[in-house]
Amino acid sequence: MTPSAPAVELDVRGRTVRVSSPDRVVLPQRGFTKLDVVQHFLAVGDGILGALLHRPTTLERWPKGVVEGARMSTRQDSSGDAFYQKRVPQGAPDWVETSRIAFPSGRTADEVAPTELAVVAWAANLGTLTFHPWPVVRDDVERPDQLRIDLDPQPGTDFSDAVRVAPHVRELLAEHGLTGYPKTSGGRGVHVFVPIEPRWTFVDARRATIALGRELERRLPDQVTMRWWKEERGATIFVDYNQMARDRTIASAYSVRANARGTVSAPVTWDELPDVHPDDFDVGTMAARFAQVGDLFAPLVAHAAPRFSIEPLLELADRQERDEGHGDLPYPPEYPKMPGEPKRVQPSRDRDRPH
């Protein structure tokens, strides 16, 4: 076995961060090493820090890299090669600050809440590829300051289908007085983030997202679905409204995705969205891209202005409920039963469902 190269120490804006085994290949099909990943995050420093600043953040850690056969641990099986770290790792430096958040179960955890770029580099040294920040900041963890719209291609559709739906999201947001900012997911989807005033609860923000998704589905019935159960979605783009539920997060802008291509979740402009592909942005190319265009997600940084009201979307939800009889939709399976939620039963297994 070839011995690893000695650790290197990096000066990250005045803070020394040690990178162990810098030559460990973590994305084998591209040959990207741990040091390559750390240097990627440093090259997009203002962008990744802006995406995470003061936000409780789950770390998606791949300590052995995305090697063939590697799999993610789950709630049912914790023996995987990678895992989501929701609590601050033991032995974290004293300059790694945290934020206490509450899960749907009522349990709490102290999550990493980055305040400086060195925290990102430190986490990358631990094998973190993807950062999953909450849509809140640590001084108010109950009121989201971002609306996150996840356009998720279902089997039979792909990134290009999500791209075709995205301009309709932009138009619908504009009709309700909001501005959205798109990015590639790094996979097959498109994300649109909206900076909002931190005045509403997670329940409100989710309800606003449901209202937007339902109107999108009404306008594009053959392209968009709000059906929670996969067996009902067909070859459509699913607006994953539950990404706005408490403790559900989306990969941050500039995060590396754990795939063979080493792609990066990349902010893009609305004008260029139709012409890009997720593979255009990876660990090897994102530094030059960032140097050229800067941080296209700067409007999403905590406390940046302007921030928008979701009252128009909540009024849309009122009309949908009053005039069309729409109610709430199912929550994720780990949630307790929520007020007003319909039966959380897969339709094909629901004996009381009309056939």
Side-chain angles (χ1 to χ4, degrees):
M1 180 180 294
T2 304
S4 295
V8 298
E9 291 189 343
L10 303 176
D11 184 312
V12 182
R13 299 183 179 178
R15 186 82 71 183
T16 299
V17 177
R18 183 175 184 271
V19 180
S20 60
S21 303
D23 61 343
R24 176 182 295 159
V25 177
V26 296
L27 294 161
Q29 294 197 32
R30 299 298 306 281
F32 293 133
T33 66
K34 184 200 284 191
L35 186 59
D36 290 332
V37 171
V38 174
Q39 290 177 331
H40 153 73
F41 286 125
L42 298 184
V44 299
D46 288 340
I48 186 66
L49 181 58
L52 307 179
L53 188 63
H54 301 309
R55 299 188 185 280
T57 300
T58 299
L59 310 178
E60 183 181 329
R61 294 177 56 185
W62 293 79
K64 300 176 184 178
V66 188
V67 297
E68 186 175 357
R71 58 188 180 84
M72 178 68 69
S73 292
T74 65
R75 288 184 178 85
Q76 294 74 31
D77 180 5
S78 61
S79 64
D81 307 281
F83 56 95
Y84 294 104
Q85 179 108 40
K86 294 195 173 186
R87 290 173 169 79
V88 62
Q90 291 185 348
D94 58 10
W95 41 266
V96 175
E97 299 186 28
T98 62
S99 174
R100 178 156 295 181
I101 47 86
F103 301 121
S105 65
R107 294 181 299 110
T108 61
D110 294 323
E111 286 204 337
V112 173
T115 56
E116 56 182 294
L117 186 56
V119 176
V120 177
W122 162 81
N125 178 59
L126 297 180
T128 302
L129 293 179
T130 311
F131 294 86
H132 298 266
W134 283 48
V136 299
V137 292
R138 63 180 184 173
D139 57 1
D140 188 354
V141 296
E142 297 299 325
R143 298 187 183 277
D145 70 341
Q146 294 175 348
L147 208 62
R148 298 172 173 181
I149 301 155
D150 181 7
L151 302 179
D152 184 10
Q154 300 304 292
T157 65
D158 58 18
F159 178 76
S160 64
D161 296 291
V163 167
R164 279 190 285 272
V165 169
H168 298 276
V169 175
R170 183 189 190 187
E171 178 182 2
L172 188 52
L173 288 170
E175 289 174 14
H176 292 82
L178 298 98
T179 298
Y181 298 85
K183 68 181 180 74
T184 67
S185 68
R188 299 169 63 241
V190 173
H191 299 154
V192 180
F193 280 27
V194 182
I196 64 172
E197 299 169 2
R199 294 168 43 200
W200 296 275
T201 65
F202 279 97
V203 171
D204 294 329
R206 178 179 174 275
R207 183 167 175 255
T209 306
I210 289 173
L212 183 143
R214 279 177 165 153
E215 178 59 17
L216 197 65
E217 182 182 42
R218 187 188 70 80
R219 297 183 184 188
L220 304 170
D222 297 327
Q223 299 178 60
V224 172
T225 185
M226 289 290 288
R227 301 282 184 173
W228 175 247
W229 303 104
K230 293 181 179 180
E231 65 186 36
E232 295 187 312
R233 293 178 190 168
T236 59
I237 300 300
F238 172 51
V239 181
D240 191 352
Y241 60 88
N242 270 331
Q243 293 290 18
M244 280 310 306
R246 177 189 294 275
D247 192 34
R248 300 288 279 214
T249 56
I250 290 179
S252 78
Y254 309 105
S255 275
V256 179
R257 305 315 305 268
N259 56 40
R261 308 179 310 283
T263 58
V264 170
S265 181
V268 295
T269 67
W270 285 108
D271 287 344
E272 68 183 336
L273 181 59
D275 300 316
V276 302
H277 188 275
D279 290 355
D280 295 338
F281 313 105
D282 62 33
V283 171
T285 64
M286 197 65 203
R289 158 82 176 178
F290 190 83
Q292 179 184 13
V293 304
D295 182 17
L296 298 179
F297 256 38
L300 279 305
V301 175
H303 307 302
R307 310 200 83 77
F308 301 99
S309 170
I310 63 170
E311 282 292 351
L313 288 178
L314 295 176
E315 291 170 2
L316 175 63
D318 289 339
R319 293 194 298 272
Q320 291 171 343
E321 292 164 11
R322 180 186 65 242
D323 300 339
E324 301 169 33
H326 288 309
D328 203 354
L329 293 172
Y331 273 79
E334 69 272 16
Y335 266 67
K337 183 70 173 179
M338 299 295 285
E341 181 187 3
K343 289 177 66 175
R344 201 182 298 173
V345 180
Q346 188 173 333
S348 60
R349 298 182 179 180
D350 186 358
R351 297 180 180 178
D352 299 327
R353 185 183 179 94
H355 295 285

